[in-house]
Amino acid sequence: MPPVFPMLTVLSMFYYMCLRRRARTATRGEMNSRRAIELNTRALPINVEIVQYAKEVLDFSSHYGSENSMSYTMWNLAGIPNVYPSSGDFTQTAVFRTYGTWWDRCPSARLPFKRTPSTFCSQDYVELAFEEPVYPTAVHILETYHPGAVVRILACSANPYSQNPPAEVRWEILWSEAPMKVNGPQARQFTPCIKQINFPTNLIRLEVNSSLLDYYTELDAVVLHGVKERPVLSLKTSMIDMNDIDEEEDEEKFACGMDTLNKQFSIVTLREWPSNGYFDKLPYELIQLILSHLTVPDLCRLAQTCKLLYQHCCDPLQYIHLSLQPYWARINDTSLEYLQSRCTLIQWLNLSWTGNRGAISVSGFSRFLRVCGSELVRLELSCGHFLNETCLEVITEMCPNLQELNLSSCDKIPPQAFNHIAKVGSLKRLILYRTKVEQTALLSILNFCSELQHLSLGSCVMIEDYDLIASMMGAKCKKLRSLDLWRCKNITESGIAELASGCQLLEELDLGWCPTLQSSTGCFTNLARKLPNLQKLFLTANRSVCDTDIEELAANCTHLRQLDILGTRMVSPASLRKLLESCKDLSLLDVSFCSQIDNRVVLELNANFPNVFIKKSFTQ
């Protein structure tokens, strides 16, 4: 009979590994050996749980609302619930700017970065501060409309109310999952099972992905449960979930990979390497192609295996397109310094969300661009709150070939700094959503950047005269294909006429929440007649849109794919039928809060035009 001891040994090792991973999930590897042995020990009741709502919204990437209002803004997440447990579309909730995949299907859509890890799917975020730092025991998210967008919850070691900033800022993932489709738009309290961390926190970050949603998700409040003293883990737990092991493994790989990014890439003298194996027999180009599918942390780990692969992993050709956004929590000046020698040929760089709370300095960013900026064509810097005038000056000096610049939600850049962008005459795409760009700087940009094809000025509240801006666009930006004027407060029919006459290549135009536009002036009719290539037109919340406007769109804009006329009281079912019959490519039609379009009409239109997503929002 064969001995059973080897099998028992294997089972024992597996059981030990499971316990170790379960313990690490709760306390990040700091459980002592005594707790590992005493399996029946319960958690000591040494703390009273503290329950608190968010005190303040510190930062966010986008919101549906205006910068000068509370309706549909992220600031509604502070304090007690306004709406919950009611369901429906309410202005007192927090709403992000986009939903579904519609924004990825329009002319302004940008190509994705390759090598984005499959575990990173976040599209937007919001950071919330709470009064008391606690060791989290639960996080409740009150979702009031189309729930299911939250994909990640993180906790930060930095206390936003402390007078002494920490030397090191740590972020830990409390919970993470892929986007999921939730049946029905009704309100719910979302309480995922979070893991324990080894530091108290009063700064929580929610990251969302709305790609599977049928409409905007709405959040009402966030509740943080926690204790003041670090809890002692009970190991009398339920059966070990194998999914937890996989998740922990992913997080270990993430942390290890980024530590390697900061350490292994700094090696100057190579140690003795093992044999290169069969890789010596492969063509250089084939190895490069294989490695091009690896993420940045994987490249860092692979570089440690042999000399040949080290050389491949450090080859600048592997870093032509580089997105560091998935690793925003760990990117700092040191990371950029170690990457410099490998990014001398970089053309696409994504530093969105990175560098905040002192992680990247102005000098560190400037040093990197002075070495790596000469070939840059695309630069993504969304929510980069470290950026200032010096940074924009360096960008314009060191990136002569730049064609795409994203400064979305970089709200710390002073107004006068945007003048520097006018020096980049090769720009084809410029995103200034939620920035403090002022009128003089923008006029200069439009005057000198005549190659612009895509321009986003959504929620730019410091522009005084949008008619003047539209006139300059019509005169100078003849190649413009997409224009976002979301929530511009003072454009009139005069500016629209200048824009439509001069920018006849426009395929996408967002005039949502522009209250000074009135259908009675003929501005929308003029748009329809002058812009036959329109594929996307948002006239959100313009109550004056009428049947005549819809019929002109049906007659002249037959390539229309997306139309938002939310809130109009003047459009009848008959004109919508004409539009749907004429625009064969139409895929999105938002008629929420259109008083003449009731649910019966929507059902009828859906039955006759099944390829069109017709949205009718509601409030209970």
Side-chain angles (χ1 to χ4, degrees), residues 290-521:
I290 294 171
L291 300 193
S292 69
H293 296 278
L294 298 182
T295 63
V296 175
D298 288 336
L299 279 178
C300 299
R301 284 189 290 270
L302 188 63
Q304 303 172 64
T305 56
C306 68
K307 186 173 182 178
L308 177 66
L309 291 180
Y310 178 89
Q311 293 169 344
H312 276 281
C313 291
C314 297
D315 191 324
L317 291 174
Q318 288 293 337
Y319 301 87
I320 299 295
H321 294 180
L322 176 63
S323 176
L324 296 178
Q325 183 180 5
Y327 321 108
W328 61 265
R330 289 176 168 85
I331 297 300
N332 53 31
D333 281 350
T334 307
S335 310
L336 296 183
E337 183 180 349
Y338 292 154
L339 282 167
Q340 278 184 20
S341 62
R342 292 150 188 85
C343 293
T344 53
L345 300 178
I346 190 168
Q347 297 177 7
W348 288 15
L349 175 62
N350 186 359
L351 286 175
S352 294
W353 301 6
T354 66
N356 299 330
R357 295 185 173 83
I360 295 179
S361 65
V362 171
S363 58
F365 176 77
S366 300
R367 283 195 303 270
F368 182 81
L369 279 196
R370 291 187 191 282
V371 175
C372 308
S374 62
E375 301 297 324
L376 266 181
V377 174
R378 176 179 175 184
L379 182 57
E380 305 279 341
L381 296 170
S382 171
C383 304
H385 301 313
F386 66 91
L387 295 170
N388 63 8
E389 183 170 3
T390 300
C391 295
L392 289 195
E393 188 174 6
V394 170
I395 290 171
T396 57
E397 288 179 1
M398 306 312 301
C399 307
N401 299 307
L402 196 62
Q403 296 181 12
E404 299 187 23
L405 179 60
N406 181 4
L407 298 175
S408 171
S409 292
C410 293
D411 53 1
K412 302 295 189 294
I413 301 176
Q416 72 277 5
F418 293 92
N419 280 297
H420 294 287
I421 298 177
K423 302 172 189 175
V424 190
S426 56
L427 272 182
K428 294 182 178 180
R429 183 188 302 270
L430 180 59
I431 302 176
L432 298 177
Y433 167 74
R434 288 191 66 238
T435 62
K436 295 177 180 176
V437 61
E438 49 82 38
Q439 186 163 303
T440 304
L442 185 54
L443 288 171
S444 180
I445 292 170
L446 296 174
N447 186 44
F448 291 101
C449 300
S450 57
E451 297 297 314
L452 275 174
Q453 297 180 19
H454 305 282
L455 179 61
S456 173
L457 300 175
S459 293
C460 292
V461 297
M462 298 191 69
I463 299 173
E464 301 167 353
D465 186 353
Y466 269 100
D467 279 348
L468 182 58
I469 298 298
S471 176
M472 179 66 81
M473 282 189 253
K476 297 289 186 177
C477 302
K478 303 293 186 179
K479 298 180 181 179
L480 207 59
R481 292 180 54 217
S482 73
L483 177 61
D484 183 359
L485 296 178
W486 175 262
R487 292 190 181 274
C488 78
K489 293 297 184 184
N490 52 39
I491 192 168
T492 69
E493 67 277 5
S494 174
I496 291 296
E498 297 276 359
L499 180 68
S501 296
C503 302
Q504 296 191 3
L505 297 181
L506 271 173
E507 299 172 354
E508 176 180 343
L509 182 59
D510 193 332
L511 297 172
W513 295 89
C514 295
T516 50
L517 291 176
Q518 294 296 316
S519 174
S520 58
T521 64

Side-chain angles (χ1 to χ4, degrees), residues 1 67 70-71 74-75 175 220 258 270 300 343 355 375 395 407 424 470 547 574 585 589 591 604:
M1 178 179 179
E67 301 303 294
M70 288 296 291
S71 297
M74 287 298 119
W75 299 303
W175 171 86
D220 193 12
M258 294 317 297
L270 302 183
C300 299
C343 293
E375 301 297 324
I395 290 171
L407 298 175
V424 190
D547 282 347
D585 296 327
L589 177 61
V591 292
E604 177 196 332

Side-chain angles (χ1 to χ4, degrees), residues 26-321:
T27 62
R28 301 300 296 172
E30 295 188 5
M31 187 183 70
N32 59 37
S33 58
R34 180 178 178 183
R35 285 191 227 126
I37 296 171
E38 296 176 353
L39 301 181
N40 295 321
T41 302
R42 294 178 179 271
L44 300 178
I46 59 176
N47 282 322
V48 176
E49 191 171 60
I50 297 172
V51 179
Q52 49 187 332
Y53 290 96
K55 178 182 179 180
E56 184 181 358
V57 177
L58 297 180
D59 188 22
F60 55 91
S61 55
S62 77
H63 60 182
Y64 186 91
S66 165
E67 301 303 294
N68 301 319
S69 170
M70 288 296 291
S71 297
Y72 296 123
T73 63
M74 287 298 119
W75 299 303
N76 285 319
L77 277 176
I80 62 174
N82 299 309
V83 173
Y84 187 84
S86 298
S87 296
D89 190 337
F90 291 90
T91 61
Q92 303 96 321
T93 57
V95 184
F96 290 99
R97 179 68 184 86
T98 64
Y99 73 94
T101 59
W102 305 109
W103 277 259
D104 297 326
R105 302 189 206 172
C106 54
S108 64
R110 288 165 287 169
L111 293 174
F113 277 78
K114 297 179 180 178
R115 286 182 158 163
T116 300
S118 58
T119 53
F120 181 80
C121 56
S122 304
Q123 297 174 333
D124 276 296
Y125 73 85
V126 58
E127 293 180 1
L128 306 168
F130 295 79
E131 183 70 36
E132 294 288 336
V134 294
Y135 291 91
T137 56
V139 176
H140 302 314
I141 303 170
L142 307 184
E143 303 172 279
T144 55
Y145 199 39
H146 288 279
V150 177
V151 293
R152 200 153 72 150
I153 305 173
L154 301 98
C156 185
S157 63
N159 183 342
Y161 302 121
S162 173
Q163 299 299 319
N164 302 313
E168 180 186 8
V169 176
R170 291 175 53 199
W171 287 91
E172 290 287 348
I173 299 175
L174 299 180
W175 171 86
S176 178
E177 264 192 20
M180 59 183 295
K181 181 79 170 179
V182 176
N183 293 326
Q186 286 74 25
R188 72 170 185 178
Q189 175 179 292
F190 180 50
T191 307
C193 182
I194 65 172
K195 73 178 181 185
Q196 293 183 14
I197 54 176
N198 61 4
F199 58 80
T201 184
N202 62 337
L203 176 51
I204 296 294
R205 175 176 170 126
L206 308 181
E207 294 185 357
V208 304
N209 181 312
S210 304
S211 62
L212 299 183
L213 300 187
D214 291 333
Y215 205 56
Y216 299 96
T217 190
E218 299 191 9
L219 310 179
D220 193 12
V222 177
V223 192
L224 174 62
H225 291 238
V227 291
K228 294 293 288 183
E229 300 295 330
R230 185 175 175 187
V232 180
L233 177 69
S234 169
L235 284 181
K236 190 172 183 179
T237 58
S238 59
M239 206 64 138
I240 292 174
D241 187 348
M242 296 302 293
N243 290 328
D244 288 351
I245 297 178
D246 294 338
E247 290 171 5
E248 179 62 24
E249 218 166 56
D250 289 340
E251 290 177 24
E252 283 183 1
K253 286 171 65 179
F254 175 81
C256 170
M258 294 317 297
D259 287 341
T260 306
L261 176 64
N262 290 344
K263 295 175 183 177
Q264 294 299 327
F265 271 1
S266 65
I267 297 174
V268 178
T269 57
L270 302 183
R271 63 177 184 268
E272 290 298 321
W273 298 88
S275 165
N276 296 327
Y278 289 104
F279 280 99
D280 280 328
K281 302 181 182 300
L282 293 179
Y284 190 92
E285 294 78 6
L286 181 57
I287 299 177
Q288 286 288 97
L289 178 62
I290 294 171
L291 300 193
S292 69
H293 296 278
L294 298 182
T295 63
V296 175
D298 288 336
L299 279 178
C300 299
R301 284 189 290 270
L302 188 63
Q304 303 172 64
T305 56
C306 68
K307 186 173 182 178
L308 177 66
L309 291 180
Y310 178 89
Q311 293 169 344
H312 276 281
C313 291
C314 297
D315 191 324
L317 291 174
Q318 288 293 337
Y319 301 87
I320 299 295
H321 294 180

